[in-house]
Amino acid sequence: MKLLFLACLSPKTGNYTTAERIRSHIESAGHTCELRDVADFQSPSDVAHLLSQNPPFEAALAIHLFKAGRLLLDIRLPFGVIFGGTDINEDVKDEQKRVVMEQVLLKARFAVAFTEKLKEEAEFVLVSPSSKIYVQPQGIQTEVAEKFCWTEFLRSSEWHSENHLNILIIIGPKVDPALTAEVEAVVKRATGVFLAQERSQQELHAAIKRCFAVVNSSVSEGMSAAILEAMDLRVPVLARNIPGNAAVVKHGVTGLLFSSPQEFVHQSQRLLSDHELRERVVRNGKLYVEEHHSVKLERETYQRLVDTLHKA
């Protein structure tokens, strides 16, 4: 079966990594899966035109109900959707977007939520049969770059001139220009806070392994792969206490949660001074990922769901 897969594909982002992993699951079952960036399309008619090419596509899949799902509303092929997180946490607050996402969910053959909490929220804010929504946590598999040089990584950002014992490194692509400008302005005034360019996943995992802890300060998350990757790499996690993070981080057990800057500092100090706490969250975090975020189970789920599109 030839399948079109739409997602937001900014390079070296969690979305890109997730989409590539799911694409590989689909293709390992013998299907052809063409992964395309939603930015390539202006309207549903653009997607409809692509789907009509020869040989024709037979089904479609989309990550994010609004950004990608809306582009599938005019097609006559069966399709499935995967909640991105911001679609249910943020976009539903806009009534026009909510109506569009409701239409997408009603037309989709299936939907996938990364957590039970996200499924419950989707059922609450969007009209849809609960039997249509499946829960499948992200599968996590880490790979550390063998030739990654931590010293060179620091020198490249001129951090060698600083001598602070505790520093915060913010790393990732500049996806939102307005937010990027705001962060850069704050960092210039801050002491011990540095910005780093995005890296390959293997280099990022190598950098994570050298860190004392990984921080997730997002105000909205579906499921943070960075948190789960840190757990898999046996690095403690400090995460903002929001539903998406709290679904995978149990405070004091698999990581630490905070709700304010003051609480972040307090939890960081606990992690620095309490070696037993650090060892406990590292051990439990690794076990949690191994038990609940199997790539093998994720592959089997998506292959089974895509088969329902094939039979449609």
Side-chain angles (χ1 to χ4, degrees), residues 287-312:
L287 288 172
Y288 171 78
V289 171
E290 289 178 345
E291 292 176 5
H292 299 282
H293 296 275
S294 163
V295 172
K296 179 177 181 292
L297 291 179
E298 182 189 49
R299 181 185 304 115
E300 292 172 353
T301 295
Y302 282 106
Q303 289 178 348
R304 184 174 66 253
L305 290 174
V306 166
D307 279 344
T308 66
L309 299 179
H310 194 199
K311 297 172 183 176

Side-chain angles (χ1 to χ4, degrees), residues 150-310:
W150 179 255
T151 303
E152 189 60 33
F153 176 63
L154 295 179
R155 283 176 180 164
S156 68
S157 300
E158 299 182 355
W159 296 337
H160 63 288
S161 63
E162 301 290 341
N163 192 31
H164 299 291
L165 291 177
N166 300 317
I167 63 173
L168 178 65
I169 303 169
I170 302 172
I171 183 168
K174 300 176 181 180
V175 177
D176 185 327
L179 181 60
T180 297
E182 182 180 345
V183 171
E184 289 176 341
V186 172
V187 168
K188 286 181 180 178
R189 302 193 303 268
T191 302
V193 182
F194 305 94
L195 288 176
Q197 291 184 339
E198 64 269 26
R199 299 281 174 145
S200 70
Q201 190 176 36
Q202 291 80 10
E203 288 179 322
L204 181 61
H205 291 166
I208 287 174
K209 279 189 69 71
R210 296 294 301 271
C211 291
F212 180 79
V214 166
V215 178
N216 180 295
S217 60
S218 297
V219 295
S220 177
E221 282 282 6
M223 175 173 283
S224 170
I227 286 178
L228 297 169
E229 288 164 355
M231 289 180 178
D232 192 54
L233 291 166
R234 302 179 187 274
V235 176
V237 170
L238 288 155
R240 188 186 297 277
N241 192 1
I242 56 174
N245 289 345
V248 296
V249 179
K250 186 174 181 180
H251 185 63
V253 180
T254 58
L256 297 173
L257 298 171
F258 62 88
S259 299
S260 67
Q262 295 77 16
E263 197 173 354
F264 165 69
V265 172
H266 172 67
Q267 299 300 341
S268 299
Q269 291 172 338
R270 284 185 65 202
L271 201 57
L272 283 165
S273 61
D274 191 336
H275 297 294
E276 184 179 337
L277 171 65
R278 177 182 172 83
E279 290 177 2
R280 182 170 68 248
V281 298
V282 165
R283 180 177 61 254
N284 291 336
K286 177 67 173 178
L287 288 172
Y288 171 78
V289 171
E290 289 178 345
E291 292 176 5
H292 299 282
H293 296 275
S294 163
V295 172
K296 179 177 181 292
L297 291 179
E298 182 189 49
R299 181 185 304 115
E300 292 172 353
T301 295
Y302 282 106
Q303 289 178 348
R304 184 174 66 253
L305 290 174
V306 166
D307 279 344
T308 66
L309 299 179
H310 194 199

Side-chain angles (χ1 to χ4, degrees), residues 64-67 69-70 73 87 90-105 125-126:
H64 201 285
L65 256 70
F66 184 74
K67 293 178 181 177
R70 66 183 178 85
L73 279 175
D87 41 12
E90 303 298 329
D91 288 332
V92 292
K93 299 172 184 176
D94 182 312
E95 181 59 18
Q96 288 185 323
K97 290 183 179 180
R98 191 196 67 78
V99 170
V100 170
M101 290 191 293
E102 201 166 73
Q103 293 172 347
V104 172
L105 191 54
V125 297
L126 301 172

